[in-house]
Amino acid sequence: MTTTTALTVAAWPGIEPRLLRHGDEDLATYREQGGYQPLGDVDHLLGEVDVSGLLGRGGAAFPLAVKVRAVRDNGRRRGGAVVVANGEEGEPASIKDRWLLRHRPHLVLDGLRLAARMVDAARAHVYVSDRRAEGAVETALAEVDPAVLDGLAISVVTVEPSYVAGEETAAVRVLNGGPAKPTDKPPRPFEEGVAGLPTLVSNVETLANLPFLHRHGAQAFRQHGTSTSPGTFLATITGAGRPPALYEIPHGVAFSDLFRVHGVPTDQVSGVLMGGYFAGLVNRDILDAALDHESLRGLNSGLGCGAIAILTDDCPVAVAASVMAYYDRENAGQCGSCFNGTAAMSAVTSALRDGTATNEDLARLERWSVVLRGRGACATLDGATNVAASLLVQFPQLVASHLENGCKTCHSGAFSAVRPYEVEAVMP
């Protein structure tokens, strides 16, 4: 375990970490740990990725092998492909990608190298918004001989941080000379992306799993996790009045065990905010759930980017209002349904927090949480509708008490934050 002033970084008790390590990583250290091994048979590696069941760690949990094959096959027809390591971590409550880029840049670059070879790409980009991450990756690139990277040309592209800048079409748009805003789909990047070529846009944590798979194989990867959610993942834990933590956790661990390890008594937990902000709220039913995709789907929620805010003293209605206000401020401003929808839902949740909402307001919020889903160029509006719907479904009695202006917690000082459960301020 390593601890900074405010952020704890630790592997789950009893497991050997695959992604988290002590100290900052230079080339010599990474090579001593077995990094940058000769690739060998590319098709064999892709087969191991397929058998491993590695799911994307950026939020969508899409099988990496499926994505790689699509880009490879399209690239062969189109005369080339591009790979993008997406480290633009838009969720304020998540810190995993910036931590990897700052402290384990060679691990990310090694994974990027392997992904590029699997899709036959000659060019790759590391896409970030964090200046310290930019510096760490540039330093790592300066250490590595091009031959170690199999001749792969890698550039670092830095943008201003925003919630939407990390969306994959926004990354492609930037690399094609445009603004960091999503575009309509189709085409999707795997069809037509950077410079018009099929492009694999992959989260840096996803790529960081490839060196382990390359060295140890799919069966070793599956020694942790569940059959449908294999491996370990990085979880950013905030809330509950505790210092935040970054844990490497095997999929399938019980939430009750997570709360215990993090030092939060389960009788104090009122619920969680899942996936950063995107996956919405879950009530105390979370105590019977596990940290895997199938378990959370059963609660109409999800792991998303692995960021989990534990709610104890914070009122879920006030938390939802703060998150919705964030969506209202951070949407790209280019789709009317999102621009107007997030503003309308923010107004209602704020009024509910303040005890001034009406039954008609709630009826509108419920309708918007259904009819606005799936609209716009990116998933921002989906995140907002997830928050609205989950608040109404998971905390109906609390919503009713707010409707009657009867929330003692909010009367004594409602939770309010511009960027709820932000971790950056305490990141080393």
Side-chain angles (χ1 to χ4, degrees):
M1 174 185 292
T2 59
T3 305
T4 70
T5 303
L7 179 72
T8 296
V9 179
W12 191 252
I15 75 162
E16 180 69 23
R18 301 172 179 180
L19 302 175
L20 300 182
R21 287 288 189 270
H22 295 280
D24 292 345
E25 178 180 79
D26 59 15
L27 177 61
T29 301
Y30 186 60
R31 294 300 293 265
E32 288 171 4
Q33 295 169 351
Y36 293 123
Q37 292 288 317
L39 176 58
D41 187 340
V42 176
D43 289 334
H44 175 74
L45 175 60
L46 180 51
E48 289 296 297
V49 174
D50 197 357
V51 173
S52 76
L54 174 60
L55 304 175
R57 303 298 199 248
F62 192 80
L64 180 63
V66 174
K67 202 172 183 180
V68 166
R69 283 199 172 90
V71 173
R72 182 196 61 180
D73 295 346
N74 288 333
R76 287 174 175 173
R77 288 192 291 268
R78 298 285 298 277
V82 179
V83 178
V84 178
N86 189 356
E88 201 299 304
E89 198 164 23
E91 287 278 4
S94 178
I95 202 64
K96 67 185 183 68
D97 296 329
R98 280 166 287 174
W99 191 93
L100 284 170
L101 289 164
R102 291 180 185 184
H103 300 286
R104 301 215 64 194
H106 284 288
L107 178 68
V108 175
L109 291 175
D110 198 2
L112 182 59
R113 169 187 74 105
L114 296 170
R117 289 295 304 275
M118 285 191 291
V119 300
D120 297 328
R123 173 161 292 279
H125 305 275
V126 181
Y127 178 74
V128 300
S129 62
D130 177 61
R131 294 295 176 180
R132 285 188 57 189
E134 175 192 27
V137 175
E138 292 280 15
T139 298
L141 283 171
E143 289 183 296
V144 181
D145 187 285
V148 174
L149 297 172
D150 300 323
L152 179 67
I154 301 176
S155 65
V156 182
V157 178
T158 307
V159 296
E160 291 301 313
S162 73
Y163 188 78
V164 299
E167 200 270 347
E168 64 174 5
T169 64
V172 168
R173 196 173 182 183
V174 168
L175 292 167
N176 283 333
K181 293 186 177 184
T183 59
D184 289 329
K185 298 170 280 288
R188 292 187 177 276
F190 76 87
E191 299 166 314
E192 181 179 320
V194 178
L197 294 173
T199 300
L200 175 68
V201 183
S202 190
N203 171 262
V204 298
E205 183 191 345
T206 311
L207 295 174
N209 278 280
L210 290 178
F212 181 92
L213 269 167
H214 180 216
R215 293 197 298 272
H216 303 291
Q219 294 309 314
F221 182 83
R222 283 184 167 274
Q223 285 179 356
H224 295 305
T226 71
S227 60
T228 55
S229 296
T232 65
F233 72 101
L234 297 182
T236 311
I237 310 301
T238 55
R242 301 277 302 164
L246 179 65
Y247 296 121
E248 183 173 350
I249 304 177
H251 284 104
V253 165
F255 270 89
S256 56
D257 288 338
L258 172 63
F259 300 148
R260 173 181 53 79
V261 168
H262 195 57
V264 181
T266 55
D267 61 354
Q268 296 180 14
V269 175
S270 61
V272 292
L273 177 65
M274 287 298 307
Y277 306 154
F278 183 82
L281 295 154
V282 182
N283 60 26
R284 280 180 58 82
D285 289 346
I286 201 68
L287 293 170
D288 297 321
L291 288 148
D292 57 63
H293 297 289
E294 55 271 32
S295 182
L296 285 163
R297 276 195 293 269
L299 295 176
N300 293 315
S301 188
L303 275 179
C305 64
I308 302 165
I310 305 170
L311 307 185
T312 53
D313 297 332
D314 297 335
C315 173
V317 170
V319 169
S322 287
V323 171
M324 204 70 76
Y326 174 85
Y327 278 128
D328 181 27
R329 291 189 304 272
E330 285 287 319
N331 71 78
Q334 61 182 8
C335 301
S337 57
C338 184
F339 180 81
N340 295 315
T342 54
M345 289 189 286
S346 177
V348 170
T349 51
S350 294
L352 185 64
R353 174 199 60 205
D354 299 337
T356 60
T358 65
N359 284 307
E360 290 75 17
D361 289 330
L362 284 191
R364 283 192 289 270
L365 184 63
E366 183 175 12
R367 179 169 60 85
W368 292 331
S369 73
V370 176
V371 301
L372 293 178
R373 192 176 300 274
R375 298 192 183 185
C378 70
T380 297
L381 193 52
D382 287 350
T385 56
N386 287 342
V387 172
S390 62
L391 174 66
L392 297 174
V393 171
Q394 296 283 326
F395 297 95
Q397 293 180 335
L398 189 59
V399 168
S401 70
H402 273 265
L403 200 62
E404 298 170 0
N405 197 20
C407 178
K408 295 180 180 178
T409 300
C410 288
H411 282 320
S412 63
F415 172 89
S416 180
V418 173
R419 295 163 63 87
Y421 306 108
E422 181 181 18
V423 189
E424 177 60 33
V426 298
M427 175 70 170

